[in-house]
Amino acid sequence: MSEKPVLVFDSGIGGLSVLRELRARMPDRRYVYVVDDAAFPYGDWEEAALLARIVDMFSGLVRDHDPALAVIACNTASTLVLPALRARFDLPFVGTVPAIKPAAEQTRSGLISVLATPGTVRRDYTRGLVESFARDCEVQLVGSPRLAAMAEAHMRGDRARPETLLSEISPCFVESGTRKTDIVVLACTHYPFLVGAFRKVAPWPVDWLDPAEAIARQAERLMADTPSSLPEGFDRAIFTAGHPDYPARRLVHGFGLTAEG
Ligand code: DGL
């Protein structure tokens, strides 16, 4: 049976951290993974230009792949483009937004940090989440200009230097009297791939909150009435820059994806 795929979208490899949870919950689905590497990193883009680019690109993606559902596996994109995508295309979208609400519910010290790209930190949407759900907490928004690229390199075997990682994450670690930050929200889908390295250099142990499982749960709910079959063979990864190099092809292959330019 040929079925409509689940389309998973990110500027790079970050969405693979979401894809692995989607597969764990919905192994019987076909996936198309779209990497907008031509525009990486999204964290540096000006908002209007990024919004126009993604909406425009989705016209082609929806036409070519006719997905049953699209997962925007990128905080930098989701905090900006979800309303425009939902208004324009007749399919369900699941976004990835900073897990500020669960962090505020779970913190014991009242000090939480949100580690994201500079773009996500700038968004009104992110500030709105803090206003709506974390008013009683002290929230540190930390936009790292380097970590997404470091995660890309790390996943291709170019390990990040511990002192560089520490300097990127250290603003997340705040002390106030006897209280310390106890939760760091991983608000960029690239960062879960670095979390093992973060743990090694962190000034003290914290809970690193990765929203991938919650996203997969929401996707599963939305797909509940769509028939599925266990598709044979590999799913596809599409790179917008074309001609992915061997390390990129090998990397996505490890996630059960065949790379296409
Ligand atoms: N993976 C993306 C996110 O979740 C960001 C990476 C980038 O800067 O392009 O925000």
Side-chain angles (χ1 to χ4, degrees):
M1 179 168 58
S2 123
E3 63 171 281
K4 294 182 173 195
V6 174
L7 191 147
V8 183
F9 177 83
D10 185 32
S11 59
I13 55 137
L16 296 172
S17 66
V18 177
L19 177 70
R20 68 184 170 190
E21 292 298 330
L22 289 165
R23 282 240 187 77
R25 294 198 82 93
M26 300 188 286
D28 49 355
R29 298 287 175 189
R30 170 64 71 203
Y31 294 91
V32 176
Y33 186 74
V34 180
V35 184
D36 190 12
D37 55 337
F40 179 86
Y42 276 178
D44 292 348
W45 276 65
E46 190 268 314
E47 293 193 351
L50 184 59
L51 191 141
R53 173 183 178 84
I54 295 174
V55 172
D56 189 48
M57 196 164 27
F58 261 84
S59 298
L61 292 173
V62 170
R63 186 192 57 231
D64 294 348
H65 304 289
D66 189 22
L69 171 85
V71 178
I72 308 301
C74 173
N75 295 261
T76 316
S78 298
T79 50
L80 181 68
V81 304
L82 276 177
L85 290 174
R86 288 186 173 129
R88 175 85 176 264
F89 302 103
D90 185 22
L91 74 143
F93 284 88
V94 176
T96 307
V97 300
I100 290 168
K101 184 168 183 252
E105 287 164 358
Q106 288 165 33
T107 180
R108 281 182 294 181
S109 70
L111 268 58
I112 63 181
S113 294
V114 179
L115 185 59
T117 66
T120 299
V121 163
R122 275 196 304 270
R123 302 273 186 267
D124 291 342
Y125 188 93
T126 304
R127 312 248 159 194
L129 288 176
V130 175
E131 252 320 280
S132 310
F133 301 114
R135 276 223 199 143
D136 300 335
C137 299
E138 285 173 47
V139 182
Q140 201 69 23
L141 296 175
V142 179
S144 164
R146 301 173 68 190
L147 282 175
M150 286 168 73
E152 291 276 337
H154 184 85
M155 288 299 283
R156 290 165 170 82
D158 188 2
R159 296 287 178 245
R161 289 160 56 92
E163 50 282 19
T164 317
L165 283 177
L166 177 58
S167 79
E168 294 301 298
I169 67 167
S170 59
C172 294
F173 289 80
V174 177
E175 288 183 84
S176 170
T178 56
R179 296 181 302 136
K180 290 177 172 184
T181 303
D182 62 352
I183 299 191
V184 178
V185 177
L186 297 171
C188 169
T189 52
H190 279 68
Y191 301 171
F193 290 121
L194 291 172
V195 77
F198 290 163
R199 282 201 182 96
K200 286 195 188 125
V201 299
W204 58 80
V206 291
D207 205 357
W208 301 92
L209 219 64
D210 176 359
E213 204 191 324
I215 296 160
R217 257 200 317 270
Q218 171 65 358
E220 191 181 22
R221 269 195 292 271
L222 292 173
M223 291 292 283
D225 297 330
T226 312
S228 65
S229 60
L230 194 59
E232 287 205 21
F234 285 91
D235 294 320
R236 298 155 70 196
I238 293 160
F239 290 77
T240 58
H243 312 298
D245 60 10
Y246 181 62
R249 283 185 281 128
R250 204 175 137 87
L251 175 63
V252 297
H253 199 253
F255 283 81
L257 301 163
T258 302
E260 292 175 21

